[in-house]
Amino acid sequence: MKFISKLLILILMAGFQGLNAQTFHADIVIYGGTSAAITAAVQAKKMGKSVLVVSPDLHLGGLSSGGLGYTDTGNKAVIGGLAREFYHRLYLHYAQDSAWKWQKREEYGNKGQGTPAIDGENRTMWIFEPHAAERVFEDFVRENQLDIHRNEWLNRASGVKMESGRIVSIQTLSGKIYQGKVFIDATYEGDLMAAAKVSYTVGREPNAQYGERWNGVQVGVFQHNHYFTDSISAYRIPGDPTSGLLPEISPNPPGKNGEGDSRLQAYNFRMALSRNPNNRVPFPKPANYDPSRYELLARVYAAGWKETFWKYDPIPNLKTDTNNHGPFSTDYIGKNYDYPEASYERRKEIIKDHEDYQKGLMYFLSHDPRVPEEVRKEMANYGLAADEFTDNGNWPHQIYVREARRMVGAYVMTEHDVLGAKEVPQPVGMGSYSLDSHNTQRFVTPGGFVQNEGDIGVHPKQPYSISYGTLIPKKGECTNLLVPVCVSSSHTAFGSIRMEPVFMILGQSAAAAAALAIDGNQAVQDLEYEKLRKVLLEEKQVLEN
């Protein structure tokens, strides 16, 4: 009996140890694998805090390592702290001869957005290959001994445990539990924020809500090159409504200008293409390829459009960061509306639909006789980069979630803040890019022609500060959560804030605030701003003009 009792005790102890092995503790728990998540984790360690990064992603860095190598920056002087360190490390990488495998450094040129790609004076590199960026993030992880739990997906239905307005723990679908003092939601989707019942919004506010001009529906507003300049029929048989609409056109009316809606600016993949024949994979033909879905593009070409390669932006080693350009391009307009709130399964379907559309587009450009011969001939020089995204068929592992949920927090940034019409309180970083929204819908005009809507590009006169209040929920909702990606802002303000350097800046600032709130045993809303400001300035963050 004694032996059986001892055996039972040992079994019970082993069981408890197994349970304990599935529970993890840290001062700061970060959910997400984005660039903001990694800078947040580094800053937490710098301030002596234990930190866990719970990442649904296998690859770290989000869009910064997912194809967006032609960095959208605006005024680079306002990019400080760990964000600038990231771009400095890329400079050091490309200073090595070994980094130039497919192209000589002197052959690359030095074209960037507003400044040279390789900024020797400031020792920064703003244009880069995806794998180089991912290597920098992994270096951050290794050097700071960051604890990263990959492929861990938040149980959005019941995985957030709260007590007295605080998150106590989160649980992932694998059953692991993560307990912390402060939590940071660094995802593009805002899943932790939403599961904690923090207020948020999706889509475009009406202009009247915040007294804005560029929010809401914007029919007839054309600020980039992403609209139909010619009168192109929306119907399968031109001019015949009874023949039905062409693919990729919504049958719904666009709405009245200034009205709010739940539509989202379009997503796409930022493809890394190669022009080196030894590092080039032919564009694959999707199994469900249907050339008829690209009839609109064929009609655009027939009307004389010649801008196919305007956003095949060069990055090192004869590669490109290929983005959307023109009225019919890589943006899959109107196909992402349910993504923010969708289940994981539904999101996978949406992502696969985007992938099939974009792969089909590239195959169409390369093979269809309706595409001008000179375009097909030039397309023959391109293919997927064989040395990028090697575990995903050379396809980016991150879809470009330009906008999903946005918190409605302690302070809501609007276009008035971005455009300099008001002073921003308690700055924790800066932005400088234009109010930038891609199209949200493609519709039929009263004349029966096709048109896009939602494209906005309004430049601020100077860089602007971003308020600490945009990172924190209202105090009555949650007192130990910070949100540096799905920040509290209107649709138009977010169009400027949503740049990868800014997410890195805000991730670092969020972690600094989290550490100070732990030190003071206080709600993140009660943190004394001057203490935070002092730390951020010491960390070389740029806070104001």
Side-chain angles (χ1 to χ4, degrees), residues 18 59 276 318 364 441:
H59 296 273
N276 188 302
L318 289 176
F364 178 85
Q441 59 179 324

Side-chain angles (χ1 to χ4, degrees), residues 294-309 361-380:
Y294 308 104
E295 171 62 24
L296 263 179
L297 180 55
R299 294 185 186 183
V300 171
Y301 278 127
W305 187 73
K306 296 183 181 296
E307 300 177 12
T308 304
F309 302 100
L361 173 65
M362 302 311 290
Y363 190 84
F364 178 85
L365 287 169
S366 305
H367 293 84
D368 200 281
R370 289 172 292 174
V371 176
E373 183 179 0
E374 63 269 22
V375 174
R376 283 182 280 130
K377 184 176 180 180
E378 178 64 20
M379 283 297 298

